Amino acid sequence: MNLPQALLSHRTLVIEGVDGIPRNGLIAQLAHHGFPVQHLPDRLHHVDPTRPYRELLATPGRMALDGSIIHELVYGPLRRGHSRVTWIQALDFAESVAERDGALIHLTASVSCLRPAPSDSTEAADAYARAMRTLAQHVAVVSLDAADLTHLPRPGTPAHRELGRNQQQLTVRW
């Protein structure tokens, strides 16, 4: 599955990938295609790290999440020696995204494209690849090279009008 197909088939998209991959273009395009983009704080909830994600996934309408608990699953062990998110929580998150007609967008890029290139980027890319292979058993995963982000349909084109056909308003209450 490619990104235009994901835009047509899913109402929830979760953007994931190593630190340093430029996401602004993708985020802008998702917003143009009717996906309100949610950015959650970098700090996880101290008691239940999955709580903010469960609350967001319980709301109606289309949405895109920029990053998720998968980031902690990958970077926790690399930077602190352990993750505050368990695999059970990550699998539960993946199943919740799937139940909400969702998919994970796995952004990839060569190390030379990362801004700035973190010292652990190669290890993180390998960890993301392993995590996405595992999570793909529970939720659709769309792998997308950051270099391909310019190929999304532009607003106003026939492909964009098709994408926006089922657009709904999303209200998030905190």
Side-chain angles (χ1 to χ4, degrees), residues 29-111:
Q29 286 295 318
L30 290 175
H32 284 303
H33 290 290
F35 285 87
V37 180
Q38 300 293 321
H39 304 275
L40 283 115
D42 290 336
R43 300 182 102 161
L44 295 174
H45 189 273
H46 65 286
V47 175
D48 182 0
T50 63
R51 186 172 117 196
Y53 301 98
R54 282 196 318 272
E55 290 171 354
L56 274 174
L57 292 173
T59 62
R62 289 178 133 190
M63 82 168 62
L65 299 174
D66 182 17
S68 72
I69 61 175
I70 309 310
H71 184 274
E72 171 63 23
L73 191 68
V74 167
Y75 280 103
L78 292 176
R79 295 182 177 162
R80 287 184 314 282
H82 70 283
S83 175
R84 293 172 286 175
V85 173
T86 67
W87 269 102
I88 291 172
Q89 290 170 317
L91 294 171
D92 184 52
F93 171 74
E95 289 174 359
S96 295
V97 170
E99 288 171 4
R100 201 178 188 288
D101 301 322
L104 303 178
I105 297 175
H106 178 208
L107 284 178
T108 61
S110 66
V111 175

Side-chain angles (χ1 to χ4, degrees), residues 110-148:
S110 66
V111 175
S112 63
C113 294
L114 302 179
R115 294 180 209 144
S119 61
D120 57 3
S121 58
T122 301
E123 292 173 286
D126 292 343
Y128 262 113
R130 285 189 307 274
M132 291 299 169
R133 279 193 305 271
T134 301
L135 296 171
Q137 298 172 40
H138 302 272
V139 65
V141 173
V142 178
S143 292
L144 177 66
D145 190 297
D148 295 335

